[in-house]
Amino acid sequence: MRHRRVDGTALTELPGPQAAEFVTAVRRVGDWVNRLHDSEARLDPSLAGFVLDRGANVTYVKVVPPLLTTRRPVETTPWRQILGALRYDRNVTLCAMAGYAARHLLRTLEPGEPLTAHGAAVIALCPGHPRPSTRPAMWFHARTRAAELALTGRIAAQQAMAVYAATSMLVLRGVPPSDQRAHIEVALAAAAALSRDSSGKAPRM
């Protein structure tokens, strides 16, 4: 296969001084996800698959394999269920993108008004979940909720990063299928406890 070379910077590599450009690009990708909802095509929401060129244009560079709803794989394990929702279910995709973007801001910006304002803009990408008790919705919303708490100064950034680590898709993939459900339950319980301790309320979905 041949693809045109795209010169630019992956969204995940944009430095803190370019936070405004980063947020604009992420929101543009979120708009693409919404526009594709009634089509067969989907986008992998990993921000590493998007490049910002010198003209501030966003290009999707992760084209293999194509994500088509008619070719959605059978989801035989908890990890595959979460991965499938991440790639094919719009609300979960947008929630995951919000979490990915918020994590990047937490890593690249110091606490203060820019972090709070930019953070609010990316958290708003999550549209909520029609079925909030499903495993994928809980998994990715736990990450977004932890980021929201850190972005608004209600928990330390390190605490949010601990939630990200506990809900890592790479880590979950390495857990034996027979143990994945238990791993998910432990991770979600810890994230929910952190949210309750910081606000006195259950996580909003």
Side-chain angles (χ1 to χ4, degrees):
M1 298 182 68
R2 294 182 179 180
H3 302 289
R4 179 174 60 86
R5 177 179 174 83
V6 178
D7 291 320
T9 305
L11 296 191
T12 51
E13 296 176 353
L14 289 176
Q18 289 185 267
E21 291 90 339
F22 171 80
V23 171
T24 298
V26 170
R27 292 181 64 82
R28 188 173 304 160
V29 174
D31 184 56
W32 293 348
V33 172
N34 282 317
R35 288 171 179 267
L36 288 171
H37 179 61
D38 294 327
S39 76
E40 182 184 353
R42 294 293 184 266
L43 293 177
D44 187 318
S46 171
L47 298 181
F50 298 88
V51 167
L52 189 68
D53 67 19
R54 294 178 181 177
N57 300 302
V58 184
T59 302
Y60 184 49
V61 295
K62 188 174 182 180
V63 296
V64 179
L67 297 178
L68 303 174
T69 56
T70 54
R71 297 186 180 183
R72 183 170 180 170
V74 176
E75 296 155 6
T76 55
T77 65
W79 177 75
R80 289 197 173 276
Q81 290 171 2
I82 293 176
L83 179 65
L86 169 67
R87 290 177 167 176
Y88 294 98
D89 297 347
R90 175 180 57 173
N91 289 54
V92 174
T93 299
L94 290 170
C95 185
M97 282 185 56
Y100 293 148
R103 177 175 59 184
H104 181 72
L105 293 175
L106 286 169
R107 286 173 170 172
T108 57
L109 290 178
E110 295 296 327
E113 180 58 30
L115 177 61
T116 302
H118 291 315
V122 297
I123 291 296
L125 283 170
C126 176
H129 300 276
R131 296 185 297 154
S133 62
T134 62
R135 191 176 290 121
M138 294 177 67
W139 183 264
F140 288 104
H141 202 79
R143 297 158 65 92
T144 303
R145 175 59 175 163
E148 180 183 21
L149 294 172
L151 290 163
T152 53
R154 284 175 280 178
I155 64 174
Q158 293 87 340
Q159 291 176 288
M161 293 304 175
V163 172
Y164 279 105
T167 55
S168 164
M169 289 295 287
L170 290 176
V171 171
L172 180 60
R173 183 175 63 178
V175 175
S178 59
D179 297 331
Q180 287 176 0
R181 187 169 285 104
H183 176 92
I184 292 168
E185 290 175 357
V186 170
L188 292 180
L194 177 63
S195 182
R196 284 194 301 270
D197 290 345
S198 64
S199 64
K201 300 178 182 179
R204 293 174 291 149
M205 302 289 278

